[in-house]
Amino acid sequence: MAKPAPSPAEPASPADFEHSLDELEQLVARMEGGDLSLDDSLASFERGIGLYRHCQQALEQAELRVRLLLDPEAPDSAEPFEPEL
């Protein structure tokens, strides 16, 4: 039986994010291999879009949590994180 997806208000677990990202990477590798039929490619693309959206939502939730931790009174005024290059 499939595990129910987390509700929009419920943050995705880090393990769930990692699993989705890993599956997405595997899908991309198979599609880049060029051995899939058109139907399989379309199904993989559709699954990949779903996984991408799930990962993007998890990242947005994580960013919101960080903003709330930095300034719980005004999370919108928190400065975006700029990674060091």
Side-chain angles (χ1 to χ4, degrees):
M1 179 170 242
K3 184 173 95 173
S7 68
E10 179 183 330
S13 72
D16 191 34
F17 171 81
E18 293 293 332
H19 176 76
S20 294
L21 186 59
D22 185 51
E23 185 179 345
L24 181 57
E25 290 172 344
Q26 290 175 21
L27 270 175
V28 169
R30 281 199 309 265
M31 290 178 72
E32 287 178 341
D35 296 331
L36 297 177
S37 68
L38 178 59
D39 285 341
D40 289 342
S41 293
L42 288 173
S44 293
F45 180 76
E46 185 176 4
R47 176 68 180 148
I49 291 295
L51 290 167
Y52 165 79
R53 289 179 179 157
H54 174 77
C55 289
Q56 188 64 34
Q57 181 182 23
L59 290 172
E60 288 169 0
Q61 289 174 350
E63 180 181 10
L64 177 59
R65 289 179 65 197
V66 168
R67 286 177 182 256
L68 287 170
L69 289 169
L70 290 175
D71 191 354
E73 298 297 318
D76 290 334
S77 68
E79 293 293 320
F81 175 74
E82 297 294 331
E84 295 180 22
L85 298 178

